[in-house]
Amino acid sequence: MSDDASVAITTEFSGGLEILFGNQKKYSLSVPANDEFGAPANVAFLVRYLCDKVMKDPRKELFVLDDTVRPGILVLINEADWELEGEAKYELQKNDHIMFVSTLHGG
Amino acid sequence: MPPTPCALCHTNRALILRPKDHSKLCKTCFITVFETEIHHTITTNALFARGEKIAIGASGGKDSTVLASVLKTLNERYDYGLDLILLSIDEGIKGYRDDSLETVKRNAEQYGMELTILGYDELYGWTMDQVVEQVGKKGNCTYCGVFRRQALDRGAARLGVKHVVTGHNADDVAETVLMNLLRGDLPRLSRTTSIITSTPSASSDPASNTNIKRSKPLKYAYEKEIVLYAHHKNLDYFSTECIYSPEAFRGSARALIKNLERVRPSAILDVVRSGEDMAKLVPGSDEGCGGTCSSNRPVAEEEEGGCGSAAGRTVGGDMASVEKQLAQNETATNNDLEVEITSPRPSTKNGAVPLSNGKKAKKGITPKKTNKQVMGQCKRCGYLSSQEVCKACVLLEGLNKARPKNKIEVGYDVQELQQRDQGVDGVADAMQQTSIGGE
Ligand SMILES: [Zn+2]
Ligand SMILES: [Zn+2]
C-alpha cells in the first residue's frame, strides 16, 4: 500500500473536549491509511494523529494519558462504545465517525 | 468485529457497555434501563411525596440537565404528582454564567418547567463582581464558595420550596468517599454518603424554621451513563473548561476512580456501597441532631455544594477563565478554603454534625470525644452553622461594614489550621478549589 493512501473519517469532540481542539466540535479528516509502522491505521494511531496534527491546546495530558485516551473520556465508534469495537485496536474504516466525549468537564 | 446484539431486545445493535454489569445494550433499551433504575432509587429510598414541590438545582451542566430530563420523564410515566421547578444560581460574575444560564433557560422551555434564577445580589445583597471590587481579587473565591454552599437552600426557602434535588452522581459520591477515607474523616464520610440530608431553614426569618430537604436521585448513576444518556437523548447541556488538575487531591481521587473504572467498572458502585457500609459503623451521637433536625436523617454538610455537582466543581476553573492571571492567587485561596472545609478541627471549633445512625452503632464502640459535635443554627439567618453566626453572615457583615480586612482574618485562621491539620499534604490540596461547592 502506498504511503499517501488515506482514510476519510469524521471526528467529533464534545462534553468540553472541544475546548482543546480550537472550540471546533467536528472535523472531517483524511488520516493516513497506515501508521508509523505500516500497519493499518487504528484508533490508537488516530489519537496520536489528533494530538500531533489537530489539537490546538498544549495540554496534551488532558486528552491522552499513558499513551491512551485519558480515563474519563468516552470514545464512541459510530455511536458504539469503543469497548464493544476493540478499543484502540479498532481499525479505521472509510466514513467512520469517531467521537470523543469528556465526562470530566463540569457545567 | 461483527455488531453485537442488544442483551435485552436481542434485535438492535448494542451501543452501550454498562459499567456496572458489563451488559451490552442498544440505545433504546439503555435509555429505558437507565430511567428505570433511577425510578427504583427514588421509590426504594422514598425520596418524594405526592404533591411535593421540588426545586432542581440546575447549572446547565450534564448532571443537572440529565436529572431534570429524567425526573420529568418519570414524573409523567409513573405519575409521581410532583411539581418540578428549576432553580439556578447566578454568582454575578460578568460573562461567567451567560452560557450556562442560556442553557438552563432552554432546558426550562424544553421541559416545560418554571425557572427561577437567583443572583447573589438578591440572596446576599452582593454580586461577586461587587465583592471583588470591595475585597480585591485575592480572596474573592472564599466569598464565592461560602455563598454558594447556602445559595440553593436560601433560594428554595425564598420560593417556599422545601426539597432541593441535585445532580450528584455515583462518581461524585465515590470520589468523596475516597477523599474522606484518605483523610481518616469517617464522620464526614457518613454524612456525604447519605442520599437524603436536611438543612435547617435558610430563610432570613428564623421563625419560619422549616427544614430544607436535599436529595441526590442520581447517586447510583455512573457519570459515564449520565453522559451517554445525554448524548443518546440529544440533551442540550453546557460544559466548561476542564478544571482537572493533576496535583489536586480531589483531582487525584477522581483520576483514581476513573482509572479503577477502566480496570474494573463495578469499582465505582462498590466504593459507594462500601462508603454506606462504613457510615453505618461510624459511632454517631445519641443526642440526635442537636435539636435542629426533627427527622432521623443526617444534617446536610455545612459545606455541601450549593449548585449541583458539576457547577460546584468548576468554580475555580471558571474563575480562572474569567481572570486567567489570577491562577496563582486562586491556588493559595483555595488551599485555604479546602483546609477550612475539611479540617477535623479540634474541640469547640469543630464544624461537624452528629450522625443519625448512631443507634445502629455497636455498644462497644465509644465515640471519640472530638467527633461529638453539635451543629446549631446561625443567629442571623438560621442556616446550619457550628458557630453562632455562620460564615456567610460573617463575610457579609464584613462586606456591609466595608471592612475588606475581614478576608485577611479568615485567611489567617485558615492557615493556622492548615499547618496543624494538613502538614505537608496541604500542598496536595492546594488545587482543591474544585471541591468548593462539590460535595
Ligand atoms: Zn435493546
Ligand atoms: Zn448566617
Side-chain angles (χ1 to χ4, degrees):
Chain A
M1 197 177 274
S2 71
D3 284 345
D4 45 32
S6 60
V7 197
I9 60 160
T10 53
T11 57
E12 188 173 345
F13 304 95
S14 81
L17 212 50
E18 63 274 19
I19 298 163
L20 300 177
F21 291 86
N23 271 310
Q24 184 180 332
K25 288 201 167 209
K26 291 184 184 177
Y27 286 84
S28 294
L29 301 173
S30 269
V31 180
N34 295 289
D35 69 11
E36 307 89 326
F37 315 102
N42 57 18
V43 171
F45 171 69
L46 173 66
V47 168
R48 288 197 295 277
Y49 180 87
L50 290 171
C51 260
D52 294 343
K53 299 282 189 338
V54 184
M55 194 169 173
K56 307 279 196 292
D57 201 289
R59 296 169 295 171
K60 309 288 183 200
E61 75 279 2
L62 296 181
F63 182 52
V64 173
L65 213 59
D66 299 329
D67 294 325
T68 185
V69 177
R70 177 171 192 129
I73 295 174
L74 310 179
V75 186
L76 304 182
I77 297 170
N78 301 320
E79 289 292 295
D81 264 358
W82 74 333
E83 290 106 314
L84 297 171
E85 303 287 330
E87 299 193 42
K89 293 188 186 109
Y90 172 85
E91 290 177 9
L92 299 176
Q93 312 291 319
K94 193 168 183 258
N95 296 328
D96 272 350
H97 177 71
I98 315 288
M99 186 165 186
F100 300 89
V101 192
S102 175
T103 67
L104 304 171
H105 291 63
Chain B
M1 274 190 191
T4 318
C6 170
L8 285 182
C9 65
H10 307 290
T11 309
N12 300 327
R13 175 186 169 211
L15 294 180
I16 290 103
L17 180 69
R18 299 202 72 196
K20 65 186 285 184
D21 58 6
H22 302 275
S23 62
K24 298 166 183 175
L25 301 183
C26 73
K27 176 172 153 178
T28 314
C29 291
F30 165 70
I31 287 171
T32 308
V33 165
F34 182 84
E35 291 166 349
T36 305
E37 287 184 357
I38 291 164
H39 170 64
H40 184 71
T41 301
I42 290 167
T43 51
T44 51
N45 293 283
L47 294 190
F48 303 137
R50 172 165 286 278
E52 206 175 6
K53 186 167 187 176
I54 290 172
I56 302 168
S59 67
K62 56 179 163 43
D63 300 299
S64 60
T65 300
V66 165
L67 180 60
S69 171
V70 170
L71 286 186
K72 177 190 165 58
T73 302
L74 296 179
N75 192 33
E76 289 166 3
R77 182 179 301 159
Y78 297 101
D79 189 27
Y80 290 162
L82 300 177
D83 182 7
L84 299 167
I85 64 163
L86 299 172
L87 174 58
S88 295
I89 303 300
D90 184 355
E91 294 85 348
I93 304 167
K94 207 170 217 142
Y96 159 52
R97 279 282 173 207
D98 292 359
D99 292 334
S100 53
L101 288 179
E102 282 312 308
T103 309
V104 176
K105 285 177 196 165
R106 288 196 303 275
N107 290 160
E109 294 226 339
Q110 289 152 1
Y111 306 142
M113 288 179 195
E114 185 191 316
L115 164 67
T116 305
I117 300 173
L118 283 175
Y120 275 12
D121 51 344
E122 294 160 274
L123 293 171
Y124 302 105
W126 291 79
T127 68
M128 273 314 293
D129 282 342
Q130 288 168 336
V131 171
V132 171
E133 208 169 291
Q134 170 106 351
V135 307
K137 284 172 182 173
K138 184 167 173 21
N140 71 75
C141 289
T142 306
Y143 289 81
C144 199
V146 169
F147 288 170
R148 178 190 299 274
R149 274 165 237 142
Q150 300 185 2
L152 276 184
D153 290 335
R154 283 179 185 247
R158 181 170 291 216
L159 297 174
V161 178
K162 294 179 181 173
H163 190 164
V164 175
V165 290
T166 56
H168 292 90
N169 59 44
D171 294 53
D172 294 329
V173 176
E175 173 189 297
T176 307
V177 167
L178 272 186
M179 287 172 67
N180 289 316
L181 197 59
L182 294 172
R183 290 192 185 109
D185 192 347
L186 287 181
R188 172 179 291 266
L189 183 147
S190 168
R191 294 191 297 280
T192 50
T193 50
S194 192
I195 191 164
I196 307 175
T197 52
S198 73
T199 316
S201 172
S203 149
S204 54
D205 174 18
S208 68
N209 187 20
T210 49
N211 284 3
I212 304 285
K213 185 170 148 190
R214 285 259 203 143
S215 65
K216 309 174 182 124
L218 301 183
K219 184 189 168 190
Y220 299 108
Y222 276 73
E223 190 159 61
K224 173 183 172 180
E225 296 201 344
I226 287 171
V227 170
L228 287 176
Y229 183 86
H231 171 71
H232 289 297
K233 281 207 82 170
N234 278 317
L235 298 187
D236 182 8
Y237 71 95
F238 175 75
S239 322
T240 58
E241 171 70 282
C242 183
I243 40 70
Y244 225 71
S245 172
E247 280 76 42
F249 187 43
R250 180 175 290 273
S252 303
R254 196 68 163 186
L256 181 55
I257 291 283
K258 295 294 185 189
N259 282 320
L260 284 172
E261 181 184 23
R262 195 162 271 188
V263 182
R264 203 170 78 93
S266 64
I268 290 178
L269 272 187
D270 292 341
V271 170
V272 171
R273 304 223 185 261
S274 299
E276 292 172 344
D277 287 346
M278 282 186 282
K280 288 179 195 152
L281 301 173
V282 175
S285 91
D286 295 323
E287 293 97 275
C289 292
T292 61
C293 158
S294 54
S295 68
N296 199 33
R297 64 176 77 106
V299 177
E301 274 299 281
E302 183 182 16
E303 292 84 7
E304 190 172 13
C307 226
S309 58
R313 281 205 303 277
T314 55
V315 182
D318 291 320
M319 294 298 279
S321 67
V322 171
E323 286 286 350
K324 281 204 168 99
Q325 71 270 34
L326 272 181
Q328 286 178 325
N329 292 350
E330 274 176 43
T331 304
T333 306
N334 290 302
N335 186 14
D336 290 352
L337 252 185
E338 166 57 16
V339 175
E340 190 175 22
I341 290 167
T342 60
S343 299
R345 278 166 252 177
S347 67
T348 54
K349 288 203 87 178
N350 208 314
V353 192
L355 304 162
S356 69
N357 40 14
K359 282 171 191 165
K360 288 178 191 165
K362 281 183 187 168
K363 273 190 177 172
I365 303 173
T366 315
K368 271 196 229 164
K369 266 279 186 308
T370 50
N371 284 341
K372 276 195 172 182
Q373 303 113 13
V374 175
M375 183 61 86
Q377 283 173 256
C378 171
K379 276 186 173 171
R380 302 257 166 83
C381 70
Y383 193 81
L384 178 76
S385 174
S386 53
Q387 315 288 324
E388 280 205 344
V389 177
C390 77
K391 278 182 201 138
C393 289
V394 170
L395 291 175
L396 279 173
E397 188 182 10
L399 284 171
N400 293 334
K401 283 185 182 166
R403 216 175 43 191
K405 277 185 180 168
N406 191 46
K407 71 180 165 80
I408 295 169
E409 290 162 24
V410 171
Y412 178 77
D413 180 36
V414 151
Q415 266 188 342
E416 183 192 289
L417 285 166
Q418 179 199 352
Q419 285 162 359
R420 196 185 306 150
D421 296 324
Q422 301 276 311
V424 201
D425 294 336
V427 180
D429 287 352
M431 308 302 273
Q432 255 298 319
Q433 58 192 42
T434 54
S435 76
I436 289 171
E439 275 72 42

